[in-house]
Amino acid sequence: MKRILWLAAIAAGSLAVGGANAAPSVERGDYLVNSIAACGSCHTPLGPEGYVATQELGGRLVEETPAFTAIAPNITPAGRVKDWTDAELAKAIREGVRPDGSVIGMPMPFEVYKGLSDTDLASIVMYLRTVPAVENDPGTSAYNVPLPPAWGPPITSVADVPEGVTAEYGAYLAGPVGHCTVCHTTFGPQGPMLDTALGAGGQEFHGPWGTSVAANITPTGLSGYSDAELATIITTGVRPNGSRLLPPMSIGHYAKMKPNDVQAVVLYLRSLPAK
Ligand code: HEC
Ligand code: HEC
């Protein structure tokens, strides 16, 4: 019952803000989670063949550093999120706070999730309630560094960005939805320097593939590619010279992006201040 009331409130809110986007839907949530948002790039267990299809969103160890051991929990209906209301689950995703008040740790990209629109957030929650329950307990994270007291002030409402092949919608997709900007921005002591080094790259990722370095995705880094080439790189992971992108670029997810959404992201990347 709580769930229905909350979703109705969200739907009414988005109508009041202009009603440009449709009401929240499982389909929209499915599309976002499994394409550009790529929640499974952290939350789905990895086997020798890649993501384990039968254990989608069942949780796994994401990153082990001296500072922390980050384990993305099981977020299927078999995880502890099953006991949370939809509003509580939404708050966890957008604000990084659990119902018990504890703060959720990195590297879940809360720097940008605070900008998820009410409609998209509600859609993601609706979809997570429909995924197959996966019986898996990946364990618990340990942080040796203090987590921030909060990822930002409490959020009441975020309006939709009108969907279209525009740099504005691309910015929304590459930021709050897809967190492309978090990986591709130079890291400082406080995390990604989104204000001063947006898209400048430089962050290193270590894994079975060795070390990959997030590319500069401002016009300085991407000037050698046409728009069509850039779209192909993002959705296939193959550059015009035939070389393949290393993880953690989540190509398997980005391959499912709608062509218009890819174009919007490309327009946005072209509009970034050159770094
Ligand atoms: C870059 C990796 C990463 C991505 C991408 C990511 N998460 Fe997470 N998520 C984590 C980690 C790690 C934790 C646990 C942090 C901790 O233990 O404090 C977490 C925690 C959570 C929690 C809290 C669950 C609980 O039981 O405490 C929820 C809900 C969640 N994520 C949902 C999502 C959704 C939905 C998406 C996609 C929109 C997503 N996450 C994308 C890494 C990620
Ligand atoms: C989890 C971190 C992460 C996320 C999220 C991410 N990237 Fe990347 N990206 C990387 C890394 C690391 C590389 C370098 C791979 C390599 O060198 O093989 C890369 C490479 C690229 C390249 C190739 C650039 C070149 O010069 O060849 C493009 C383009 C790109 N990313 C765009 C995007 C877009 C668009 C998104 C969001 C839809 C995105 N990335 C999300 C980490 C990430």
Side-chain angles (χ1 to χ4, degrees), residues 58-146:
R60 74 174 167 93
L61 170 69
V62 176
E63 210 177 322
E64 221 168 355
T65 71
F68 57 80
T69 300
I71 295 176
N74 183 341
I75 54 171
T76 74
R80 65 176 148 180
V81 296
K82 71 172 178 299
D83 298 325
W84 303 358
T85 65
D86 286 349
E88 287 170 340
L89 178 51
K91 190 177 170 74
I93 297 167
R94 186 158 70 180
E95 298 178 50
V97 184
R98 297 188 187 87
D100 66 4
S102 60
V103 170
I104 303 172
M106 55 284 218
M108 180 136 162
F110 296 110
E111 295 90 347
V112 290
Y113 282 176
K114 62 184 68 152
L116 275 171
S117 80
D118 297 349
T119 318
D120 284 342
L121 182 63
S123 298
I124 289 171
V125 168
M126 285 170 85
Y127 171 67
L128 290 179
R129 300 306 196 187
T130 69
V131 303
V134 173
E135 296 298 338
N136 180 46
D137 179 3
T140 316
S141 305
Y143 293 90
N144 305 322
V145 288

Side-chain angles (χ1 to χ4, degrees), residues 15-275:
L15 286 178
V17 180
N21 283 38
S25 67
V26 174
E27 290 70 28
R28 173 77 176 165
D30 183 348
Y31 170 66
L32 294 177
V33 167
N34 292 309
S35 67
I36 187 166
C39 309
S41 66
C42 289
H43 283 273
T44 296
L46 275 172
E49 310 286 310
Y51 298 117
V52 183
T54 53
Q55 300 205 323
E56 275 192 37
L57 304 176
R60 74 174 167 93
L61 170 69
V62 176
E63 210 177 322
E64 221 168 355
T65 71
F68 57 80
T69 300
I71 295 176
N74 183 341
I75 54 171
T76 74
R80 65 176 148 180
V81 296
K82 71 172 178 299
D83 298 325
W84 303 358
T85 65
D86 286 349
E88 287 170 340
L89 178 51
K91 190 177 170 74
I93 297 167
R94 186 158 70 180
E95 298 178 50
V97 184
R98 297 188 187 87
D100 66 4
S102 60
V103 170
I104 303 172
M106 55 284 218
M108 180 136 162
F110 296 110
E111 295 90 347
V112 290
Y113 282 176
K114 62 184 68 152
L116 275 171
S117 80
D118 297 349
T119 318
D120 284 342
L121 182 63
S123 298
I124 289 171
V125 168
M126 285 170 85
Y127 171 67
L128 290 179
R129 300 306 196 187
T130 69
V131 303
V134 173
E135 296 298 338
N136 180 46
D137 179 3
T140 316
S141 305
Y143 293 90
N144 305 322
V145 288
L147 293 177
W151 291 99
I155 300 170
T156 39
S157 180
V158 178
D160 288 319
V161 177
E163 195 171 337
V165 183
T166 62
E168 190 199 10
Y169 188 60
Y172 173 69
L173 290 175
V177 182
H179 74 282
C180 317
T181 50
V182 172
C183 281
H184 281 277
T185 292
T186 320
F187 258 56
Q190 308 296 323
M193 301 189 289
L194 296 167
D195 293 334
T196 52
L198 184 64
Q203 211 192 140
E204 287 189 2
F205 297 87
H206 308 276
W209 60 87
T211 299
S212 55
V213 182
N216 180 334
I217 54 168
T218 74
T220 323
L222 301 179
S223 60
Y225 304 128
S226 69
D227 288 359
E229 285 170 342
L230 201 43
T232 303
I233 295 173
I234 295 167
T235 54
T236 67
V238 184
R239 298 189 185 87
N241 68 7
S243 66
R244 271 184 186 279
L245 299 196
L246 296 170
M249 268 294 277
S250 205
I251 300 301
H253 290 104
Y254 303 154
K256 296 179 192 138
M257 284 174 69
K258 294 186 259 188
N260 279 357
D261 286 359
V262 179
Q263 289 312 320
V265 168
V266 168
L267 277 181
Y268 166 65
L269 297 181
R270 299 299 195 200
S271 78
L272 283 173
K275 290 285 175 197

